[in-house]
Amino acid sequence: KGRKERVVPFGAPARTALEAVDTDEPQRAALRDYLLHRMGGSVPDSAVLREGLPYWQEVARRFAQTPYGFAVSEDVEAMEAMLEAQ
């Protein structure tokens, strides 16, 4: 349920791969839109961020003592700042 992805050729630009993600999973949609924004796309819709952000906040907490958790926490802080600015 929820995963509707197209196959993207190996070596395709990251932006192309992200644009191919079509999902109804809020956490995946939020991260996709956030990453596309970081690549120069438009600011993600606040509803998408609001719905998907709790998942990433929990991941950041769960893995806080790891490099992965640190990286996710930086993305979470950026998404939270986007919501505050909207």
Side-chain angles (χ1 to χ4, degrees):
K1 175 195 171 249
R3 295 184 85 169
K4 300 177 276 185
E5 298 175 9
R6 291 185 293 159
V7 175
V8 177
F10 180 76
R15 183 180 191 94
T16 301
L18 283 170
E19 288 170 343
V21 175
D22 180 19
T23 182
D24 59 5
E25 295 176 83
Q27 73 277 10
R28 291 170 61 95
L31 189 60
R32 174 202 57 210
D33 293 356
Y34 163 70
L35 292 173
L36 285 170
H37 171 67
R38 288 196 50 193
M39 293 177 187
S42 60
V43 175
D45 181 81
S46 61
V48 172
L49 287 179
R50 231 185 324 278
E51 196 173 348
L53 190 54
Y55 173 87
W56 295 110
Q57 290 167 326
E58 177 55 32
V59 169
R61 277 191 290 276
R62 184 179 315 144
F63 297 102
Q65 302 304 316
T66 69
Y68 172 68
F70 180 77
V72 171
S73 71
E74 289 181 327
D75 291 334
V76 164
E77 288 174 10
M79 287 187 271
E80 289 170 340
M82 284 180 196
L83 278 174
E84 290 174 13
Q86 290 182 2

